[in-house]
Short mmCIF file of all heavy atoms in Angstrom, two decimals:
data_model
loop_
_atom_site.label_atom_id
_atom_site.label_comp_id
_atom_site.label_asym_id
_atom_site.label_seq_id
_atom_site.Cartn_x
_atom_site.Cartn_y
_atom_site.Cartn_z
N MET A 1 98.12 122.80 0.65
CA MET A 1 98.63 121.45 0.70
C MET A 1 97.85 120.58 -0.30
O MET A 1 96.62 120.65 -0.36
CB MET A 1 98.47 120.91 2.12
CG MET A 1 98.83 119.45 2.26
SD MET A 1 98.65 118.83 3.95
CE MET A 1 96.89 118.59 4.05
N ILE A 2 98.56 119.79 -1.06
CA ILE A 2 97.92 118.86 -1.99
C ILE A 2 97.35 117.68 -1.20
O ILE A 2 98.08 117.03 -0.45
CB ILE A 2 98.93 118.33 -3.04
CG1 ILE A 2 99.51 119.48 -3.87
CG2 ILE A 2 98.28 117.27 -3.94
CD1 ILE A 2 98.52 120.17 -4.78
N VAL A 3 96.07 117.41 -1.35
CA VAL A 3 95.46 116.27 -0.65
C VAL A 3 95.16 115.12 -1.60
O VAL A 3 95.02 113.98 -1.16
CB VAL A 3 94.17 116.68 0.10
CG1 VAL A 3 94.50 117.67 1.21
CG2 VAL A 3 93.14 117.25 -0.84
N CYS A 4 95.04 115.41 -2.88
CA CYS A 4 94.81 114.35 -3.88
C CYS A 4 95.90 114.50 -4.94
O CYS A 4 95.81 115.36 -5.81
CB CYS A 4 93.43 114.49 -4.51
SG CYS A 4 93.13 113.30 -5.85
N SER A 5 96.89 113.63 -4.85
CA SER A 5 98.03 113.72 -5.78
C SER A 5 97.64 113.24 -7.18
O SER A 5 98.27 113.64 -8.15
CB SER A 5 99.23 112.95 -5.25
OG SER A 5 98.88 111.61 -4.99
N CYS A 6 96.63 112.42 -7.29
CA CYS A 6 96.20 111.96 -8.62
C CYS A 6 95.61 113.12 -9.43
O CYS A 6 95.75 113.16 -10.65
CB CYS A 6 95.15 110.87 -8.49
SG CYS A 6 95.77 109.33 -7.80
N ASN A 7 94.93 114.03 -8.75
CA ASN A 7 94.25 115.14 -9.43
C ASN A 7 94.79 116.51 -9.01
O ASN A 7 94.22 117.53 -9.43
CB ASN A 7 92.75 115.08 -9.15
CG ASN A 7 92.10 113.88 -9.78
OD1 ASN A 7 92.01 113.79 -11.00
ND2 ASN A 7 91.68 112.92 -8.97
N MET A 8 95.84 116.52 -8.20
CA MET A 8 96.45 117.77 -7.74
C MET A 8 95.42 118.70 -7.07
O MET A 8 95.38 119.89 -7.34
CB MET A 8 97.17 118.49 -8.89
CG MET A 8 98.28 117.65 -9.51
SD MET A 8 99.49 117.05 -8.30
CE MET A 8 100.33 118.58 -7.91
N LEU A 9 94.58 118.12 -6.24
CA LEU A 9 93.59 118.91 -5.50
C LEU A 9 94.20 119.37 -4.18
O LEU A 9 94.82 118.59 -3.47
CB LEU A 9 92.33 118.10 -5.22
CG LEU A 9 91.58 117.56 -6.42
CD1 LEU A 9 90.35 116.77 -5.96
CD2 LEU A 9 91.18 118.67 -7.37
N ARG A 10 93.97 120.61 -3.86
CA ARG A 10 94.46 121.18 -2.60
C ARG A 10 93.38 121.10 -1.53
O ARG A 10 92.19 121.04 -1.84
CB ARG A 10 94.85 122.65 -2.81
CG ARG A 10 96.00 122.84 -3.74
CD ARG A 10 96.30 124.33 -3.91
NE ARG A 10 97.45 124.53 -4.75
CZ ARG A 10 98.71 124.51 -4.32
NH1 ARG A 10 98.95 124.30 -3.04
NH2 ARG A 10 99.71 124.68 -5.14
N ASP A 11 93.82 121.16 -0.29
CA ASP A 11 92.86 121.18 0.82
C ASP A 11 91.91 122.37 0.69
O ASP A 11 90.72 122.26 0.98
CB ASP A 11 93.57 121.16 2.16
CG ASP A 11 94.62 122.27 2.30
OD1 ASP A 11 94.95 122.94 1.31
OD2 ASP A 11 95.11 122.45 3.43
N SER A 12 92.42 123.49 0.20
CA SER A 12 91.57 124.68 0.04
C SER A 12 90.51 124.45 -1.05
O SER A 12 89.40 124.99 -0.95
CB SER A 12 92.42 125.90 -0.28
OG SER A 12 93.19 125.70 -1.45
N ASP A 13 90.84 123.67 -2.10
CA ASP A 13 89.85 123.34 -3.14
C ASP A 13 88.69 122.55 -2.52
O ASP A 13 87.52 122.83 -2.79
CB ASP A 13 90.47 122.50 -4.25
CG ASP A 13 91.60 123.21 -4.97
OD1 ASP A 13 91.54 124.44 -5.11
OD2 ASP A 13 92.54 122.51 -5.41
N VAL A 14 89.04 121.56 -1.71
CA VAL A 14 88.02 120.71 -1.07
C VAL A 14 87.18 121.53 -0.11
O VAL A 14 85.95 121.44 -0.11
CB VAL A 14 88.68 119.53 -0.35
CG1 VAL A 14 87.64 118.70 0.42
CG2 VAL A 14 89.43 118.65 -1.34
N ALA A 15 87.83 122.36 0.69
CA ALA A 15 87.10 123.18 1.67
C ALA A 15 86.18 124.16 0.96
O ALA A 15 85.04 124.37 1.40
CB ALA A 15 88.09 123.92 2.57
N GLN A 16 86.63 124.73 -0.14
CA GLN A 16 85.80 125.69 -0.87
C GLN A 16 84.59 124.99 -1.48
O GLN A 16 83.47 125.51 -1.44
CB GLN A 16 86.62 126.36 -1.97
CG GLN A 16 85.89 127.48 -2.67
CD GLN A 16 86.78 128.24 -3.64
OE1 GLN A 16 87.91 127.83 -3.90
NE2 GLN A 16 86.28 129.33 -4.16
N ALA A 17 84.78 123.79 -2.04
CA ALA A 17 83.65 123.03 -2.60
C ALA A 17 82.65 122.68 -1.52
O ALA A 17 81.44 122.80 -1.73
CB ALA A 17 84.17 121.76 -3.29
N ALA A 18 83.14 122.28 -0.36
CA ALA A 18 82.25 121.90 0.74
C ALA A 18 81.54 123.11 1.34
O ALA A 18 80.46 122.97 1.90
CB ALA A 18 83.03 121.15 1.82
N ALA A 19 82.15 124.27 1.23
CA ALA A 19 81.53 125.47 1.78
C ALA A 19 80.33 125.90 0.94
O ALA A 19 79.40 126.52 1.45
CB ALA A 19 82.54 126.60 1.85
N SER A 20 80.33 125.56 -0.35
CA SER A 20 79.24 125.98 -1.22
C SER A 20 78.04 125.06 -1.10
O SER A 20 76.91 125.47 -1.37
CB SER A 20 79.70 126.04 -2.67
OG SER A 20 80.11 124.77 -3.13
N GLN A 21 78.26 123.79 -0.71
CA GLN A 21 77.17 122.85 -0.49
C GLN A 21 77.72 121.65 0.29
O GLN A 21 78.88 121.31 0.13
CB GLN A 21 76.56 122.38 -1.81
CG GLN A 21 77.52 121.60 -2.69
CD GLN A 21 76.86 121.14 -3.96
OE1 GLN A 21 75.71 120.72 -3.95
NE2 GLN A 21 77.57 121.24 -5.06
N PRO A 22 76.88 121.05 1.12
CA PRO A 22 77.33 119.86 1.84
C PRO A 22 77.62 118.74 0.86
O PRO A 22 76.86 118.51 -0.08
CB PRO A 22 76.15 119.50 2.73
CG PRO A 22 75.31 120.73 2.80
CD PRO A 22 75.53 121.44 1.50
N LEU A 23 78.74 118.05 1.04
CA LEU A 23 79.16 117.00 0.10
C LEU A 23 79.53 115.72 0.82
O LEU A 23 80.00 115.75 1.95
CB LEU A 23 80.39 117.47 -0.69
CG LEU A 23 80.22 118.65 -1.61
CD1 LEU A 23 81.59 119.07 -2.15
CD2 LEU A 23 79.28 118.31 -2.76
N ARG A 24 79.36 114.61 0.11
CA ARG A 24 79.94 113.34 0.54
C ARG A 24 81.34 113.25 -0.06
O ARG A 24 81.63 113.89 -1.08
CB ARG A 24 79.11 112.16 0.01
CG ARG A 24 77.72 112.09 0.54
CD ARG A 24 77.01 110.88 -0.06
NE ARG A 24 75.58 110.94 0.14
CZ ARG A 24 74.96 110.58 1.25
NH1 ARG A 24 75.66 110.11 2.26
NH2 ARG A 24 73.66 110.68 1.36
N VAL A 25 82.17 112.40 0.52
CA VAL A 25 83.53 112.22 0.00
C VAL A 25 83.49 111.83 -1.48
O VAL A 25 84.27 112.34 -2.27
CB VAL A 25 84.27 111.14 0.83
CG1 VAL A 25 85.60 110.79 0.18
CG2 VAL A 25 84.47 111.61 2.25
N THR A 26 82.55 110.99 -1.83
CA THR A 26 82.49 110.49 -3.20
C THR A 26 82.00 111.55 -4.20
O THR A 26 82.04 111.32 -5.40
CB THR A 26 81.57 109.26 -3.29
OG1 THR A 26 80.30 109.60 -2.70
CG2 THR A 26 82.17 108.08 -2.53
N GLN A 27 81.54 112.69 -3.71
CA GLN A 27 81.06 113.76 -4.60
C GLN A 27 82.10 114.84 -4.85
O GLN A 27 81.95 115.65 -5.76
CB GLN A 27 79.80 114.41 -4.01
CG GLN A 27 78.63 113.47 -3.92
CD GLN A 27 77.47 114.10 -3.17
OE1 GLN A 27 77.66 114.70 -2.12
NE2 GLN A 27 76.28 113.96 -3.72
N VAL A 28 83.12 114.87 -4.03
CA VAL A 28 84.09 115.98 -4.07
C VAL A 28 84.80 116.06 -5.42
O VAL A 28 84.89 117.14 -6.01
CB VAL A 28 85.10 115.85 -2.92
CG1 VAL A 28 86.27 116.80 -3.10
CG2 VAL A 28 84.41 116.12 -1.59
N HIS A 29 85.30 114.97 -5.91
CA HIS A 29 86.05 115.01 -7.17
C HIS A 29 85.19 115.53 -8.32
O HIS A 29 85.63 116.37 -9.10
CB HIS A 29 86.63 113.63 -7.50
CG HIS A 29 87.73 113.21 -6.57
ND1 HIS A 29 87.47 112.68 -5.34
CD2 HIS A 29 89.08 113.26 -6.70
CE1 HIS A 29 88.63 112.42 -4.73
NE2 HIS A 29 89.62 112.76 -5.54
N ALA A 30 83.97 115.03 -8.43
CA ALA A 30 83.09 115.49 -9.51
C ALA A 30 82.82 116.98 -9.39
O ALA A 30 82.79 117.69 -10.40
CB ALA A 30 81.78 114.71 -9.48
N CYS A 31 82.65 117.45 -8.17
CA CYS A 31 82.40 118.88 -7.97
C CYS A 31 83.62 119.72 -8.34
O CYS A 31 83.48 120.92 -8.61
CB CYS A 31 82.01 119.15 -6.53
SG CYS A 31 80.36 118.57 -6.16
N LEU A 32 84.78 119.11 -8.35
CA LEU A 32 85.99 119.83 -8.71
C LEU A 32 86.45 119.50 -10.13
O LEU A 32 87.57 119.80 -10.53
CB LEU A 32 87.09 119.54 -7.69
CG LEU A 32 86.79 120.09 -6.29
CD1 LEU A 32 87.81 119.60 -5.28
CD2 LEU A 32 86.73 121.61 -6.31
N GLY A 33 85.57 118.84 -10.89
CA GLY A 33 85.84 118.61 -12.30
C GLY A 33 86.77 117.47 -12.61
O GLY A 33 87.43 117.45 -13.66
N CYS A 34 86.85 116.47 -11.71
CA CYS A 34 87.73 115.33 -11.97
C CYS A 34 87.10 114.07 -11.39
O CYS A 34 85.97 114.10 -10.91
CB CYS A 34 89.11 115.57 -11.36
SG CYS A 34 89.08 115.88 -9.59
N ARG A 35 87.82 112.97 -11.49
CA ARG A 35 87.34 111.69 -10.95
C ARG A 35 88.39 111.10 -10.02
O ARG A 35 89.58 111.24 -10.28
CB ARG A 35 87.11 110.69 -12.09
CG ARG A 35 86.00 111.07 -12.99
CD ARG A 35 85.83 110.05 -14.07
NE ARG A 35 84.70 110.45 -14.91
CZ ARG A 35 84.09 109.62 -15.74
NH1 ARG A 35 84.51 108.39 -15.86
NH2 ARG A 35 83.08 110.06 -16.45
N PRO A 36 87.93 110.42 -8.97
CA PRO A 36 88.92 109.75 -8.11
C PRO A 36 89.60 108.62 -8.87
O PRO A 36 88.98 107.98 -9.73
CB PRO A 36 88.09 109.21 -6.95
CG PRO A 36 86.69 109.18 -7.43
CD PRO A 36 86.57 110.21 -8.52
N ARG A 37 90.84 108.40 -8.55
CA ARG A 37 91.60 107.31 -9.20
C ARG A 37 91.97 106.25 -8.17
O ARG A 37 91.35 105.21 -8.11
CB ARG A 37 92.82 107.89 -9.90
CG ARG A 37 92.42 108.80 -11.04
CD ARG A 37 93.59 109.35 -11.78
NE ARG A 37 93.15 110.37 -12.73
CZ ARG A 37 93.96 111.11 -13.43
NH1 ARG A 37 95.27 110.98 -13.32
NH2 ARG A 37 93.48 112.01 -14.25
N CYS A 38 92.97 106.51 -7.36
CA CYS A 38 93.43 105.49 -6.42
C CYS A 38 92.60 105.45 -5.13
O CYS A 38 92.59 104.44 -4.43
CB CYS A 38 94.90 105.69 -6.10
SG CYS A 38 95.23 107.10 -5.00
N GLY A 39 91.95 106.55 -4.77
CA GLY A 39 91.18 106.62 -3.54
C GLY A 39 92.02 106.89 -2.29
O GLY A 39 91.48 106.92 -1.19
N GLY A 40 93.29 107.08 -2.47
CA GLY A 40 94.17 107.31 -1.33
C GLY A 40 93.89 108.59 -0.57
O GLY A 40 94.34 108.76 0.56
N CYS A 41 93.16 109.49 -1.17
CA CYS A 41 92.88 110.78 -0.54
C CYS A 41 91.56 110.79 0.23
O CYS A 41 91.23 111.78 0.88
CB CYS A 41 92.83 111.86 -1.63
SG CYS A 41 91.64 111.48 -2.94
N PHE A 42 90.79 109.74 0.16
CA PHE A 42 89.44 109.76 0.73
C PHE A 42 89.44 110.07 2.23
O PHE A 42 88.60 110.83 2.70
CB PHE A 42 88.72 108.43 0.48
CG PHE A 42 88.20 108.27 -0.92
CD1 PHE A 42 88.50 109.18 -1.91
CD2 PHE A 42 87.41 107.19 -1.24
CE1 PHE A 42 88.03 109.03 -3.22
CE2 PHE A 42 86.91 107.03 -2.54
CZ PHE A 42 87.22 107.95 -3.52
N ALA A 43 90.35 109.49 2.98
CA ALA A 43 90.37 109.73 4.43
C ALA A 43 90.67 111.20 4.73
O ALA A 43 90.05 111.80 5.61
CB ALA A 43 91.40 108.83 5.10
N THR A 44 91.61 111.78 4.00
CA THR A 44 91.95 113.19 4.23
C THR A 44 90.80 114.09 3.81
O THR A 44 90.47 115.06 4.51
CB THR A 44 93.22 113.54 3.44
OG1 THR A 44 94.27 112.67 3.83
CG2 THR A 44 93.64 114.98 3.70
N ILE A 45 90.18 113.78 2.68
CA ILE A 45 89.03 114.58 2.22
C ILE A 45 87.89 114.48 3.24
O ILE A 45 87.24 115.47 3.54
CB ILE A 45 88.59 114.14 0.82
CG1 ILE A 45 89.63 114.59 -0.20
CG2 ILE A 45 87.20 114.69 0.47
CD1 ILE A 45 89.38 114.12 -1.62
N LYS A 46 87.68 113.32 3.80
CA LYS A 46 86.64 113.14 4.82
C LYS A 46 86.92 114.04 6.02
O LYS A 46 86.00 114.68 6.56
CB LYS A 46 86.57 111.67 5.25
CG LYS A 46 85.64 111.39 6.42
CD LYS A 46 84.24 111.16 5.98
CE LYS A 46 83.34 110.58 7.04
NZ LYS A 46 83.02 111.46 8.14
N GLN A 47 88.17 114.11 6.44
CA GLN A 47 88.53 114.97 7.57
C GLN A 47 88.25 116.43 7.24
O GLN A 47 87.75 117.18 8.09
CB GLN A 47 90.01 114.80 7.92
CG GLN A 47 90.34 113.47 8.54
CD GLN A 47 91.83 113.32 8.80
OE1 GLN A 47 92.64 114.04 8.25
NE2 GLN A 47 92.16 112.36 9.64
N ILE A 48 88.55 116.84 6.01
CA ILE A 48 88.30 118.23 5.62
C ILE A 48 86.80 118.50 5.61
O ILE A 48 86.35 119.54 6.10
CB ILE A 48 88.93 118.53 4.25
CG1 ILE A 48 90.46 118.43 4.33
CG2 ILE A 48 88.50 119.90 3.73
CD1 ILE A 48 91.15 118.45 2.99
N LEU A 49 86.02 117.57 5.06
CA LEU A 49 84.57 117.76 5.02
C LEU A 49 84.01 117.83 6.44
O LEU A 49 83.16 118.68 6.74
CB LEU A 49 83.90 116.62 4.26
CG LEU A 49 84.22 116.52 2.76
CD1 LEU A 49 83.45 115.36 2.14
CD2 LEU A 49 83.91 117.81 2.04
N ASP A 50 84.49 116.95 7.32
CA ASP A 50 83.99 116.94 8.70
C ASP A 50 84.29 118.26 9.41
O ASP A 50 83.50 118.70 10.24
CB ASP A 50 84.61 115.78 9.48
CG ASP A 50 84.04 114.43 9.07
OD1 ASP A 50 83.02 114.40 8.35
OD2 ASP A 50 84.64 113.41 9.44
N SER A 51 85.40 118.88 9.06
CA SER A 51 85.76 120.13 9.74
C SER A 51 85.14 121.35 9.06
O SER A 51 85.10 122.42 9.65
CB SER A 51 87.28 120.28 9.79
OG SER A 51 87.80 120.45 8.49
N THR A 52 84.66 121.18 7.83
CA THR A 52 84.12 122.31 7.07
C THR A 52 82.60 122.40 7.15
O THR A 52 82.05 123.47 7.30
CB THR A 52 84.54 122.20 5.59
OG1 THR A 52 85.95 122.13 5.52
CG2 THR A 52 84.04 123.39 4.79
N MET A 53 81.94 121.23 7.04
CA MET A 53 80.48 121.23 6.98
C MET A 53 79.89 121.42 8.37
O MET A 53 80.40 120.86 9.34
CB MET A 53 79.95 119.92 6.38
CG MET A 53 80.32 119.77 4.93
SD MET A 53 79.43 118.47 4.04
CE MET A 53 79.31 117.15 5.18
N PRO A 54 78.82 122.18 8.47
CA PRO A 54 78.15 122.35 9.76
C PRO A 54 77.63 121.01 10.28
O PRO A 54 77.24 120.15 9.49
CB PRO A 54 76.99 123.29 9.45
CG PRO A 54 77.28 123.89 8.13
CD PRO A 54 78.19 122.93 7.41
N GLN A 55 77.62 120.85 11.60
CA GLN A 55 77.10 119.63 12.21
C GLN A 55 75.65 119.42 11.79
O GLN A 55 74.85 120.35 11.80
CB GLN A 55 77.16 119.73 13.74
CG GLN A 55 78.56 119.68 14.29
CD GLN A 55 79.16 118.28 14.20
OE1 GLN A 55 78.43 117.30 14.21
NE2 GLN A 55 80.47 118.20 14.10
N GLY A 56 75.31 118.20 11.40
CA GLY A 56 73.94 117.87 11.07
C GLY A 56 73.52 118.22 9.66
O GLY A 56 72.39 117.97 9.27
N SER A 57 74.42 118.81 8.86
CA SER A 57 74.04 119.14 7.49
C SER A 57 74.03 117.87 6.65
O SER A 57 74.89 117.00 6.80
CB SER A 57 74.98 120.17 6.89
OG SER A 57 76.29 119.67 6.86
N ALA A 58 73.04 117.77 5.79
CA ALA A 58 72.91 116.58 4.95
C ALA A 58 73.72 116.78 3.68
O ALA A 58 73.67 117.85 3.06
CB ALA A 58 71.45 116.36 4.61
N PRO A 59 74.47 115.76 3.26
CA PRO A 59 75.22 115.88 2.02
C PRO A 59 74.31 116.07 0.83
O PRO A 59 73.18 115.59 0.80
CB PRO A 59 75.94 114.53 1.92
CG PRO A 59 75.96 114.00 3.32
CD PRO A 59 74.71 114.51 3.95
N ALA A 60 74.80 116.76 -0.18
CA ALA A 60 74.03 116.99 -1.39
C ALA A 60 73.77 115.68 -2.11
O ALA A 60 74.53 114.72 -1.98
CB ALA A 60 74.79 117.94 -2.31
N GLU A 61 72.69 115.61 -2.84
CA GLU A 61 72.38 114.41 -3.60
C GLU A 61 73.29 114.26 -4.81
O GLU A 61 73.60 113.19 -5.25
CB GLU A 61 70.92 114.42 -4.03
CG GLU A 61 69.96 114.25 -2.87
CD GLU A 61 70.18 112.96 -2.10
OE1 GLU A 61 70.36 111.91 -2.76
OE2 GLU A 61 70.21 113.01 -0.87
N ALA A 62 73.69 115.35 -5.40
CA ALA A 62 74.54 115.29 -6.58
C ALA A 62 75.23 116.63 -6.76
O ALA A 62 74.84 117.63 -6.16
CB ALA A 62 73.71 114.96 -7.81
N CYS A 63 76.23 116.64 -7.57
CA CYS A 63 76.94 117.87 -7.87
C CYS A 63 77.05 118.00 -9.38
O CYS A 63 77.52 117.10 -10.05
CB CYS A 63 78.34 117.88 -7.27
SG CYS A 63 79.22 119.40 -7.61
N TYR A 64 76.60 119.11 -9.87
CA TYR A 64 76.63 119.35 -11.31
C TYR A 64 77.46 120.58 -11.61
O TYR A 64 77.13 121.38 -12.45
CB TYR A 64 75.22 119.54 -11.85
CG TYR A 64 74.35 118.34 -11.58
CD1 TYR A 64 73.43 118.35 -10.54
CD2 TYR A 64 74.47 117.21 -12.34
CE1 TYR A 64 72.64 117.26 -10.28
CE2 TYR A 64 73.69 116.09 -12.09
CZ TYR A 64 72.78 116.13 -11.06
OH TYR A 64 72.02 115.03 -10.79
N ALA A 65 78.57 120.72 -10.90
CA ALA A 65 79.41 121.92 -11.02
C ALA A 65 80.15 122.00 -12.35
O ALA A 65 80.60 123.04 -12.74
CB ALA A 65 80.41 121.96 -9.89
N GLN A 66 80.25 120.89 -13.08
CA GLN A 66 81.01 120.93 -14.32
C GLN A 66 80.24 121.58 -15.43
O GLN A 66 79.11 121.46 -15.58
CB GLN A 66 81.39 119.51 -14.77
CG GLN A 66 82.41 118.92 -13.84
CD GLN A 66 82.94 117.63 -14.40
OE1 GLN A 66 83.28 117.59 -15.58
NE2 GLN A 66 83.03 116.61 -13.60
S1 LIG B 101 95.09 110.58 -4.32
FE1 LIG B 101 93.06 111.17 -4.77
S2 LIG B 101 92.39 109.68 -6.17
FE2 LIG B 101 94.48 109.19 -5.85
#
């Protein structure tokens, strides 16, 4: 399912990025090689992160995946 129509990011892309390291919503796009535009996907991405990241894990300080 596409969760970010501005960047054509799928829910599986977000879940895979979050599985490799704990992320904040604002870090997801950079980790996937793009930038947020409208921000309309933030709530959905937050839900995916909440369901993917282990409880109590601290988000990464930065992502240098590019
Ligand atoms: S839908 Fe993700 S930035 Fe627009």
Side-chain angles (χ1 to χ4, degrees):
M1 174 179 79
I2 299 293
V3 296
C4 175
S5 56
C6 293
N7 293 292
M8 300 306 289
L9 300 180
R10 295 179 177 275
D11 53 350
S12 58
D13 299 327
V14 175
Q16 187 173 8
S20 62
Q21 63 179 320
L23 295 173
R24 296 180 195 278
V25 172
T26 53
Q27 295 173 315
V28 168
H29 291 80
C31 288
L32 294 172
C34 57
R35 293 180 179 197
R37 295 181 188 174
C38 74
C41 56
F42 283 8
T44 303
I45 288 175
K46 173 86 167 69
Q47 290 177 342
I48 294 169
L49 294 181
D50 287 348
S51 66
T52 304
M53 294 194 321
Q55 290 287 333
S57 60
E61 291 301 316
C63 181
Y64 301 102
Q66 291 189 46

